[in-house]
Amino acid sequence: MIREEGPAVRREWKPEDLIECWTMDEAEVELLANKSGATRLGFALLLEFFELERRFPRREDVPRAAVEYVAGQVGVEAAAFAGYRWSGSTTEYHRRQVREFYGFRTATVADEDKLVFWLAEQMCPKEMSRDRLRAALLTRCRAEKIVPPTPTPGQVERLLGAAESMFERDFTARTAGRLGPAAARLGELIAVADPDPDAGGEPGGMRSFLQELKEDRGPIQLETLLAEIVKLERVEALGLGEGLFDGVTEKVVEGWRARAMRMYPSDFAAAPEPVRLTLLVALCWMRRTELTGDDREHVEVSALALHLIAASIAYLNTHLIQIVLREEAWRKRLTDADRRGLSALFWTHLNLYGRFELDMNNHLADLPPAA
C-alpha cells in the first residue's frame, strides 16, 4: 500500500514516527522470502524508503534510526546494512521488484520529454525557484508513477535546465512579438556607454534613463515624487501597451526585472534580441506598477493623483513660508535673488501632466492666513 504523502526523510525520528512510516505490512514482508542477511535488510529499507519518497535512496539518505527499526522487524543485525551493495545485477533486480510492487516504472526518453514540456508550459510561467521546480518535477513523477531520474542528480538538473530554456525561448519571443513599434524605443534605452563605476554615472556626469529606472526611488519627498512622475511619463511614452505579460505571474516578471537590474548596457546589447527586449520591458513594467498598477486607466489616474499630491505639497510649503515671512525681520533677510528662487521653486513645475490651478489667496481652514 502506497501512502498518499510521506514526510521528507529526516535524520531525527521519534518512536511513533518510525512506527507510522517504517513499519512493514504483510504484503511487504512476503517480498523478503529467500532473502537473508545484508540483502534482506537492504531490500526492506529500499522498499520502505521508496514508499515514503517515491524514489530510490543513496546509502546516506537512509536514517540510522530507520535502519535499526527495520532491522528489528526483519531479524537482521543493523550493522549488516553496511554490507548491502548499491550497484550490480542484484540491486537492479531489487529495484525492479520495488517498482513493480508499487506500480511504478522507469522514465523513458518520451517520459522525460513530456516532463520538460509540462514544466515549461505549466510551472515555469509561475515559478523561477529551482528548488520549487525540482519539487514540482518530483511530485509530477509520483503522480505519473514514474521513478525520477536517479541516482544521478545531474539528470534531474538537466531536465530542469531544458524546461527553463524552453520557457525562456517561448516567453521572450512572445513578449517581443507583442511590443510592435515600442521595440525600437526600448532599444534607445541602451544606446549609451557603460557607466564608469568610479564616477558613479555616465561619462561626463550624465545619467541614462536606464540607470534611473534601476535606482531605488528612496523616501517619498517632493523632489523624489516629481522625479518618479517624470519617470512614469517617460515609461508611458514608450507605448508598451497592455497584456505584455499575460500568462505569467508577477513573480516571474519580478525575476526578470531583478536580472535586468544587474546588467550594464553592454550586457543588454550582447543578449539575443527577444531576451534583451523582455529584460527591458520587465524593468519598465515593474517600475510603473510600483506606483500605479498594471492597467492604462490606473496609470493615468495615478499620474494625475501624483501631480495633485505634488501640487498640494507645494501649496503647503508655500503657505508655511508665508507664515514665517510675516515677520519683518525674516522678510528683510530675503534678497531679490532669494525671492526669485522661491517663486521658481513653488510655481514653475506644478503642471507637468494635466492642470491643477492653485489659488494662493485662499487658505485651508485650519491654517492661519498669511500676512
Side-chain angles (χ1 to χ4, degrees):
M1 176 182 67
I2 297 180
R3 301 181 182 93
E4 287 301 317
E5 292 292 340
V9 174
R10 52 188 184 272
R11 309 316 300 175
E12 301 295 331
W13 287 80
K14 296 179 181 179
E16 57 269 28
D17 294 330
L18 285 170
I19 293 171
E20 178 183 355
C21 298
W22 294 90
T23 299
M24 302 184 71
D25 61 28
E26 186 176 338
E28 292 169 334
V29 172
E30 289 180 1
L31 293 177
L32 299 179
N34 302 321
K35 296 179 176 67
S36 62
T39 298
R40 182 179 178 86
L41 178 57
F43 178 83
L45 288 164
L46 208 67
L47 192 67
E48 293 305 296
F49 187 97
F50 192 92
E51 184 180 7
L52 284 172
E53 292 289 299
R54 318 299 204 273
R55 65 180 177 89
F56 291 113
R58 299 165 298 177
R59 184 187 299 276
E60 59 268 26
D61 291 335
V62 183
R64 179 63 186 174
V67 174
E68 295 175 353
Y69 179 72
V70 174
Q73 294 181 71
V74 301
V76 177
E77 291 292 331
F81 182 56
Y84 183 71
R85 300 183 62 180
W86 291 84
S87 62
S89 58
T90 299
T91 304
E92 290 303 317
Y93 173 63
H94 287 176
R95 288 171 179 262
R96 185 166 66 252
Q97 277 190 294
V98 172
R99 288 195 300 268
E100 291 175 355
F101 181 75
Y102 290 121
F104 276 63
R105 58 186 174 81
T106 55
T108 64
V109 173
D111 289 327
E112 292 186 357
D113 289 343
K114 287 176 62 178
L115 289 170
V116 168
F117 276 105
W118 176 79
L119 284 169
E121 294 179 0
Q122 300 298 322
M123 298 308 303
C124 289
K126 304 173 185 176
E127 186 59 67
M128 294 191 73
S129 165
R130 260 294 175 99
D131 289 339
R132 293 192 179 96
L133 289 176
R134 187 182 299 107
L137 173 62
L138 296 178
T139 300
R140 182 72 173 184
C141 286
R142 293 167 185 169
E144 298 289 333
K145 291 198 170 183
I146 298 171
V147 179
T150 54
T152 306
Q155 290 180 270
V156 171
E157 300 308 310
R158 177 179 59 80
L159 296 184
L160 295 176
E164 289 169 335
S165 297
M166 180 181 294
F167 167 71
E168 178 171 309
R169 183 176 63 252
D170 294 343
F171 171 57
T172 56
R174 183 170 63 249
T175 302
R178 291 170 174 172
L179 285 172
R185 292 189 285 271
L186 282 168
E188 296 174 1
L189 295 179
I190 60 171
V192 294
D194 281 343
D196 181 356
D198 296 329
E202 296 295 334
M206 298 295 291
R207 293 184 306 156
S208 70
F209 184 42
L210 179 62
Q211 277 186 284
E212 294 179 8
L213 287 173
K214 291 162 65 175
E215 291 173 352
D216 182 82
R217 66 171 179 261
I220 294 297
Q221 299 172 351
L222 176 59
E223 182 179 355
T224 57
L225 185 61
L226 294 174
E228 289 304 309
I229 291 172
V230 173
K231 289 178 189 177
L232 177 61
E233 291 172 345
R234 292 184 69 179
V235 169
E236 282 300 292
L238 294 172
L240 298 180
E242 303 300 323
L244 289 176
F245 293 120
D246 286 351
V248 300
T249 63
E250 185 175 316
K251 182 190 298 185
V252 171
V253 181
E254 177 57 42
W256 278 76
R257 187 248 195 135
R259 179 174 164 185
M261 293 282 284
R262 300 189 294 269
M263 299 174 67
Y264 287 116
S266 59
D267 298 324
F268 286 103
E273 183 179 31
V275 174
R276 176 170 65 251
L277 291 174
T278 302
L279 288 165
L280 291 170
V281 171
L283 187 62
C284 295
W285 190 274
M286 292 306 296
R287 196 56 188 260
R288 182 180 73 169
T289 56
E290 283 178 348
L291 285 174
T292 62
D294 59 2
D295 63 88
R296 179 169 295 278
E297 182 178 357
H298 196 170
V299 170
E300 293 176 350
V301 171
S302 297
L304 287 169
L306 288 172
H307 279 281
L308 179 57
I309 292 171
S312 300
I313 293 173
Y315 178 94
L316 291 174
N317 284 346
T318 302
H319 195 72
L320 289 173
I321 288 179
Q322 287 176 332
I323 293 172
V324 171
L325 294 182
R326 288 177 191 167
E327 299 181 17
E328 184 176 356
W330 282 106
R331 290 199 303 274
K332 288 181 177 180
R333 294 184 63 175
L334 287 179
T335 66
D336 290 341
D338 291 332
R339 295 180 186 280
R340 287 194 298 271
L342 286 175
S343 177
L345 176 64
F346 293 110
W347 288 98
T348 61
H349 63 290
L350 296 182
N351 293 318
L352 300 176
Y353 191 103
R355 298 191 64 82
F356 294 100
E357 301 292 348
L358 300 182
D359 184 354
M360 299 306 293
N361 295 315
N362 291 327
H363 308 293
L364 298 177
D366 57 346
L367 290 177

